[in-house]
Amino acid sequence: MAASVGRICGVKLLKRNATHISHQVGAFSTAREWAGNNRKLLAALGGFTGSVGALIFALDQSVKASDLELHPPSYPWDHKGFTAALDHASIRRGYEVYKQVCAACHSMRFMCYRNLVGVTHTEAEAKAEAEEIQVTDGPDATGEMFQRPGKLSDHFPNPYANEEAARAANNGAFPPDLTYIVLGRHGGEDYIFSLLTGYVDAPAGVILREGQYYNPYFPGGAISMAQALYNEVIEYGDGTPATASQLAKDVATFLKWAGEPEHDDRKRYMIKSFFLFSFLCVVSYYYKRHKWSVIKSRKIEFKPRK
């Protein structure tokens, strides 16, 4: 009887253990299956990421300069520092270069004469600059359009009436607007400076059409704009020697300011914010230490029951 009970209990215990083991085996197989699926998912994700990375690299290399095209070097501009501002004297000289050289072909239709006030010119000087141009206004009381001297609210004049006239005057090439040219070109002011000072003779095998010139910094090398900056091509009002590199540096700085007129204000606010948040961080840390000092210094004592 006892042996039978023992055998029966033993069978029950064996059955219970077998069921438990089967559950463990099932769980283990499920875990292995999940791990296998997870590895497949990670492998697929890795392959997709690698493919996207390879595509991005290929696209990036496709727009890089070829053997006959050069990337502009990085020049040590005065305004590249963390707290450095634009050279306003250079901006004023750059405006002179644009006005006397570049404005013959290129427009800056998003710039007004009032933008010069407090940056490169006083209000009286900016008004005098604006009055040098004639602006079509009207109609008057008789319904006719008339010419008037420019005002501070007027934009810089466009050298051509429309795009077709600009192309007709430049052998089919359309001179781009220069207001945001620094932001719209890879390399920014480095590209502008390198382009203006990078004219060379075309290498062997490069054929240029009539009216084209070779510049290795321009995409394709063939550019329709002739070299415009030479030594002493203009005379600066402040007496600075007007070398070709000085002219290019000043006009590049001017175009940098035209594209980012908030450059100096942004850096000024950044410096103010840095000091303000540093002070607030110190105050917050002290306040946190003050509030938590009681809790962190508290001791808990457990007394046994008597």
Side-chain angles (χ1 to χ4, degrees):
M1 184 68 180
S4 299
V5 172
R7 284 195 299 272
I8 293 173
C9 293
V11 171
K12 289 182 178 179
L13 290 174
L14 288 174
K15 286 183 179 179
R16 186 180 298 135
N17 291 339
T19 304
H20 181 63
I21 291 172
S22 65
H23 282 307
Q24 287 183 340
V25 171
F28 180 71
S29 61
T30 303
R32 288 188 60 184
E33 183 180 356
W34 181 83
N37 294 335
N38 218 15
R39 282 195 296 269
K40 292 179 182 178
L41 178 62
L42 291 176
L45 185 60
F48 176 75
T49 305
S51 302
V52 172
L55 176 62
I56 293 175
F57 179 77
L59 293 176
D60 181 65
Q61 292 298 317
S62 66
V63 298
K64 290 294 182 65
S66 65
D67 294 338
L68 298 179
E69 297 176 13
L70 298 178
H71 280 297
S74 180
Y75 294 102
W77 298 92
D78 296 333
H79 54 267
K80 276 195 173 181
F82 182 75
T83 59
L86 290 167
D87 184 356
H88 286 227
S90 181
I91 297 175
R92 182 180 177 115
R93 292 193 299 268
Y95 169 73
E96 294 181 33
V97 177
Y98 167 76
K99 176 183 175 182
Q100 300 183 45
V101 180
C102 308
C105 298
H106 296 275
S107 64
M108 292 189 72
R109 59 193 181 93
F110 298 105
M111 285 292 295
C112 298
Y113 286 97
R114 65 170 179 264
N115 299 129
L116 303 176
V117 178
V119 180
T120 59
H121 297 71
T122 63
E123 184 175 350
E125 290 174 337
K127 284 183 178 179
E129 290 289 327
E131 290 172 355
E132 292 181 3
I133 66 172
Q134 292 293 316
V135 179
T136 302
D137 203 348
D140 57 11
T142 61
E144 299 292 333
M145 304 298 288
F146 61 92
Q147 297 287 317
R148 62 164 176 83
K151 300 184 293 186
L152 287 178
S153 58
D154 291 323
H155 292 79
F156 286 6
N158 195 326
Y160 303 105
N162 48 57
E163 181 177 342
E164 287 72 19
R167 291 187 181 277
N170 293 278
N171 295 323
F174 179 61
D177 185 87
L178 297 183
T179 311
Y180 301 109
I181 192 70
V182 169
L183 302 181
R185 294 295 185 270
H186 177 70
E189 57 269 38
D190 292 329
Y191 168 78
I192 300 298
F193 180 86
S194 300
L195 182 73
L196 293 176
T197 59
Y199 285 87
V200 294
D201 294 333
V206 175
I207 301 176
L208 300 176
R209 294 181 297 177
E210 182 181 358
Q212 288 187 332
Y213 308 87
Y214 186 76
N215 193 314
Y217 295 101
F218 187 77
I223 184 172
S224 297
M225 182 180 73
Q227 184 174 356
L229 302 183
Y230 298 92
N231 293 336
E232 308 299 334
V233 69
I234 69 169
E235 184 177 349
Y236 280 132
D238 61 359
T240 302
T243 61
S245 58
Q246 183 68 49
L247 296 169
K249 181 256 185 185
D250 291 334
V251 74
T253 304
F254 170 71
L255 295 177
K256 171 69 174 179
W257 166 78
E260 293 184 81
E262 77 288 349
H263 178 274
D264 292 353
D265 293 333
R266 184 178 68 247
K267 289 191 175 181
R268 188 181 302 113
Y269 293 146
M270 181 177 59
I271 295 172
K272 291 181 179 180
S273 300
F274 175 77
F275 284 106
L276 176 61
F277 283 107
S278 298
F279 174 74
L280 292 178
C281 286
V282 172
V283 173
S284 301
Y285 179 73
Y286 175 80
Y287 185 75
K288 177 256 183 187
R289 290 289 301 270
H290 175 71
K291 285 297 183 181
W292 283 83
S293 61
V294 177
I295 299 176
K296 287 192 173 184
S297 60
R298 185 175 58 183
K299 293 184 179 180
I300 301 176
E301 183 179 356
F302 295 95
K303 295 183 178 181
R305 291 183 179 180
K306 295 183 179 179

